[in-house]
Amino acid sequence: MAASQTLQLSSLNNVEILPIPVIDIEENKIQEPAVDEFDYSQRGQWLRAAVLGANDGLVSVASLMMGVASVKNDIKAVMVAGFAGLVAGACSMAIGEFVSVCTQRDVEISQMKREKRERSLESDENDEKLPNPGQAAVASALAFAVGAVLPLLAAAFIKQPKVRMAVVFVVASVALVAFGVVGALLGGTPVVKSSARVLVGGWMAMGTTFGLTKLIGIDHGMQI
């Protein structure tokens, strides 16, 4: 009898010990998603300035060049218009981004002052998290210039007007897809959806500019 009782006690002890690793496994399973979590919103500021700046530069200058080429075959007119668009667009993007980020920074500082007047020691640490208007402006201008240079380089060494426009269109399309893919990968969004949206938007801008400029130039006999 004593032996059977000891066997029963040992079996009960074994049963009591079993839930311990099960609890540990469940806790590990619950904690695993926390390791893979990543806040993509932290990349929002510089990602928006870089990707949108490059996309705007590419679409703006490519559309401008195609619009001028629709009524003027002279390569100088096309290149000068594209370069002017590059400079004007980069300056506009930089100023707009600077003003926008300055406004955002002022709003955040005002909010911090209202919420943390009693904790002045933490103001230095929070200042490091505030957006930098200068960096955002430079990033936006450089990104616009990088995107705008692509159609200029594509058209610089092609003399035939129709071939030039076709090359600009193809280069712009490929670059739009690349920008869409990069933006999707860095932002954690669907690649196909993002690329298609960027590509279709660029096609619409280039087609509208080309069509309207050609229509106005033919109807009014405009000379550039």
Side-chain angles (χ1 to χ4, degrees), residues 5 19 22 25 30 102 104 119 130 135 150 200 210 221-222:
Q5 289 179 354
V22 173
I25 293 173
I30 295 173
C102 281
Q104 179 184 353
R119 294 179 292 177
L130 292 173
Q135 291 180 355
L150 297 178
V200 173
F210 178 85
M222 297 177 61

Side-chain angles (χ1 to χ4, degrees), residues 183-194:
L185 293 177
L186 294 178
T189 58
V191 174
V192 176
K193 183 179 179 180
S194 178

